[in-house]
Amino acid sequence: MAIHHLLRSTLRKNNNQASLYIKHVAASRSLQENLLEAPLQARWNSTEASVQKDVAATEFRDDKGFKGHSMLAPFTPGWQTTDLHPLVIEKSEGCYVYDTNGKKYLDSLAGLWCTALGGSEPRLVAAATKQLNTLPFYHSFWNRTTKPALDLAKELLETFTATQMAKVFFTNSGSEANDSQVKLVWYYNNALGRPNKKKFIARTKSYHGSSLISASLSGLVPLHQKFDLPAPFVVHTDCPHYWRYHLPGETEEEFSTRLANNLEDLILKEGPDTIAAFIAEPLMGAGGVIPPPATYFEKIQAVVKKYDILFIADEVICAFGRLGTMFGCDKYNIKPDLVSVAKALSSAYVPIGGILVSPEVSDVIHSQSNKLGNFSHGFTYSGHPVSCAVALEALKIYKERNIVEQVKSISPRFQDGLKAFSDSPIIGEIRGTGLILGTEFTDNKSPNNPFPPEWGIGAYFGAVCEKHGMLVRVSGDIIMMSPPFIISSDEVDELISIYGKALKATEERVQELKSQQK
């Protein structure tokens, strides 16, 4: 009961608020106890809102009356919708968003890793408006399409240079893109007379979406629990997190070799003639911001190529400049057969995703569709003209403003400024590259000593950030940040300053919690 004692002392100035807060912590604790029954990555589903609601100034939310709203909210437990007022964002401006009470927040996650050009780029608004006034919708079925869709496909093929791509298939999201990848690969192998080559290998802690197939590909337990997932055609191999999983004395290169050997062993166990594709994010995003260890992709690609397994690069988070290269494949020398894109493709102003398809795969798909009389896959909004027009303008801006160089220029200030806090006794690791970074809280700086989940250390840190006017992604005791590509030096300094204040407050909270245990 030490946590309850601490919370009451923290909130003694507002008894009514404290009473509500204790109720939320109890609910959160119950959920956390359930998560403890699953592997460690289940903490990804930690309910930080229970802690945030008081520390982050609940009083600013109570007068708008949104508690008990009508939306079935994604990635949100039901009790939060019932018992708490949501943070309702009303306006965006550059790297900032504003809630319905006018409070300003530095959006350090760029929405959901996606508003690359910030929240008020007039050229994107103008592109959407112009297209809405010209042709608000037409489809791309039956050899009919629109000029924006054709132009965007051509532009994407020219922009991706890690290896040659031949065709683009448009979707509405990253989840749809990865769903469609599975169908394309199955279609491809059926056309080649390989009906048994249907399994997919993904990685533990990966995130590839939340639809039935993309959630199956994802290696996060909460996406599978009570959804009867993953599907049986998906198997998972090692997470390439060196800090957490390396053996004593093992170098990054040796760790990569071991993981490549484990992958080969898995392929041989399942049967090489049953494995269709391997899918990977160049840098793992929602699973905790996990960059690959040295030589990892070099060794993994050699294994999949050896067994004629397609390589799918999930670039949904990494593409268009996030890592300081146009694509994550450029940074890590990945030569994929298929690529998924979304998010920054339109700077998230309108929904759009896509698949880049290599000549080898697209030629087989064309041939098979000719035999069958049709390629029977697509969506009403595949290549939506408004989405394509906005995405085209976003790509123009990335190139005209040399966004990749802009990210390269600002990212050392971002990375170095935050990694300067690495000596904190409650930080196990700060990791990242470009404009993406993760902080993992652990006790004694060890990956094997997590804080008790009911302490809500990550949630507390996120709540203090919110109180000081910054939004971060909280995932258990991991904090993730991926600010807009347009972030300025002054805004980076503000981000680092708020991070420092939140860290100091969180260190003090840990000390007080530990003192309660004695």
Side-chain angles (χ1 to χ4, degrees):
M1 300 300 290
I3 180 69
H4 288 243
H5 175 78
L6 172 62
L7 294 174
R8 287 191 179 98
S9 66
T10 301
L11 302 171
R12 58 184 176 271
K13 294 182 180 178
N14 190 334
N15 292 332
N16 292 334
Q17 206 169 356
S19 176
L20 179 61
Y21 183 51
I22 298 302
K23 175 186 175 184
H24 295 160
V25 169
S28 178
R29 182 170 182 168
S30 174
L31 178 59
Q32 291 285 7
E33 287 170 351
N34 290 334
L35 292 179
L36 284 174
E37 298 173 5
L40 181 61
Q41 67 259 37
R43 296 181 70 199
W44 182 84
N45 201 35
S46 174
T47 54
E48 66 269 16
S50 63
V51 179
Q52 288 176 339
K53 292 309 159 279
D54 188 80
V55 182
T58 314
E59 64 271 14
F60 290 116
R61 303 188 191 174
D62 288 344
D63 60 354
K64 291 294 184 180
F66 295 114
K67 183 167 67 175
H69 59 75
S70 302
M71 183 171 66
L72 181 59
F75 289 92
T76 305
W79 68 265
Q80 288 183 14
T81 300
T82 302
D83 297 348
L84 306 175
H85 291 279
L87 175 62
V88 182
I89 300 300
E90 188 171 57
K91 184 178 73 170
S92 58
E93 184 177 77
C95 294
Y96 297 90
V97 294
Y98 298 78
D99 68 18
T100 48
N101 295 290
K103 184 173 180 180
K104 180 180 180 181
Y105 304 89
L106 179 59
D107 184 9
S108 78
L109 193 68
L112 284 173
W113 329 80
C114 51
T115 52
L117 294 172
S120 55
E121 174 49 60
R123 286 176 56 178
L124 299 185
V125 175
T129 302
K130 180 180 178 181
Q131 188 59 46
L132 283 166
N133 285 326
T134 304
L135 178 69
F137 174 74
Y138 201 72
H139 62 80
S140 290
F141 285 31
W142 315 315
N143 204 31
R144 303 170 187 172
T145 190
T146 68
K147 189 67 163 43
L150 295 173
D151 289 347
L152 180 58
K154 182 175 183 291
E155 187 69 23
L156 279 170
L157 294 178
E158 291 174 355
T159 302
F160 188 83
T161 59
T163 189
Q164 183 185 6
M165 291 290 160
K167 299 290 181 181
V168 177
F169 176 82
F170 287 117
T171 67
N172 305 293
S173 67
S175 291
E176 276 189 7
N178 287 326
D179 249 36
S180 295
Q181 293 280 22
V182 173
K183 289 186 70 176
L184 291 184
V185 170
W186 284 349
Y187 194 86
Y188 166 82
N189 278 315
N190 285 333
L192 293 177
R194 305 190 295 198
N196 296 322
K197 204 169 177 67
K198 298 294 172 61
K199 294 177 185 176
F200 280 67
I201 296 178
R203 301 178 298 173
T204 301
K205 290 195 178 181
S206 63
Y207 181 80
H208 300 291
S210 62
S211 59
L212 190 148
I213 290 179
S214 62
S216 293
L217 294 173
S218 300
L220 294 164
V221 168
L223 293 173
H224 302 158
Q225 288 176 317
K226 304 303 180 183
F227 290 113
D228 295 340
L229 299 177
F233 61 84
V234 178
V235 291
H236 289 91
T237 191
D238 303 286
C239 170
H241 190 179
Y242 175 74
W243 173 73
R244 178 166 290 281
Y245 297 117
H246 78 278
L247 301 176
E250 189 176 44
T251 66
E252 285 195 35
E253 291 82 357
E254 291 166 343
F255 176 66
S256 295
T257 298
R258 178 162 62 87
L259 265 56
N261 290 338
N262 289 349
L263 174 61
E264 184 165 20
D265 289 344
L266 178 61
I267 292 168
L268 293 172
K269 176 187 174 184
E270 297 290 331
D273 59 339
T274 71
I275 307 298
F278 172 86
I279 184 168
E281 305 155 90
L283 177 147
M284 298 177 82
V289 182
I290 303 169
T295 71
Y296 174 78
F297 278 116
E298 172 190 338
K299 291 167 180 173
I300 293 296
Q301 288 181 98
V303 172
V304 299
K305 186 175 182 180
K306 178 179 179 180
Y307 294 102
D308 194 17
I309 295 168
L310 296 175
F311 192 109
I312 302 171
D314 182 347
E315 288 266 13
V316 170
I317 286 177
C318 297
F320 308 113
R322 174 63 59 193
L323 308 186
T325 52
M326 184 56 77
F327 289 89
C329 289
D330 299 324
K331 186 173 184 68
Y332 298 117
N333 196 27
I334 299 170
K335 308 294 182 185
D337 301 287
L338 296 149
V339 179
S340 296
V341 294
K343 294 193 184 291
L345 176 55
S346 67
S347 190
Y349 280 46
V350 285
I352 187 169
I355 297 173
L356 281 62
V357 187
S358 68
E360 294 77 11
V361 175
S362 64
D363 286 350
V364 171
I365 290 173
H366 272 200
S367 176
Q368 180 76 339
S369 67
N370 290 337
K371 290 178 184 177
L372 296 176
N374 209 359
F375 172 60
S376 299
H377 179 63
F379 307 100
T380 299
Y381 303 124
S382 293
H384 191 290
V386 177
S387 297
C388 289
V390 173
L392 268 169
E393 193 64 22
L395 292 182
K396 287 179 185 176
I397 292 171
Y398 295 149
K399 293 178 180 180
E400 288 173 13
R401 298 181 188 171
N402 207 347
I403 286 292
V404 168
E405 290 303 316
Q406 193 169 322
V407 171
K408 281 183 182 179
S409 176
I410 196 70
S411 59
R413 192 184 195 100
F414 172 71
Q415 294 287 335
D416 296 345
L418 292 173
K419 288 176 180 176
F421 295 105
S422 294
D423 290 339
S424 168
I426 67 169
I427 290 179
E429 185 184 39
I430 299 178
R431 51 186 179 260
T433 188
L435 283 179
I436 186 168
L437 181 138
T439 300
E440 186 159 354
F441 296 117
T442 61
D443 203 6
N444 299 317
K445 306 193 76 65
S446 168
N448 301 315
N449 289 314
F451 291 110
E454 64 269 21
W455 285 13
I457 300 306
Y460 187 88
F461 178 93
V464 177
C465 285
E466 185 176 325
K467 177 182 178 181
H468 288 289
M470 182 169 75
L471 301 178
V472 300
R473 168 76 167 96
V474 178
S475 177
D477 282 346
I478 301 174
I479 303 299
M480 291 173 269
M481 309 171 87
S482 64
F485 301 166
I486 62 166
I487 192 168
S488 69
S489 296
D490 287 346
E491 289 163 345
V492 169
D493 292 345
E494 179 186 356
L495 181 153
I496 293 167
S497 175
I498 296 174
Y499 181 105
K501 292 175 184 176
L503 180 60
K504 184 176 185 296
T506 306
E507 289 172 345
E508 292 170 354
R509 184 186 188 206
V510 169
Q511 285 301 111
E512 190 165 358
L513 286 167
K514 285 185 173 182
S515 71
Q516 300 294 329
Q517 292 184 319
K518 295 178 181 178

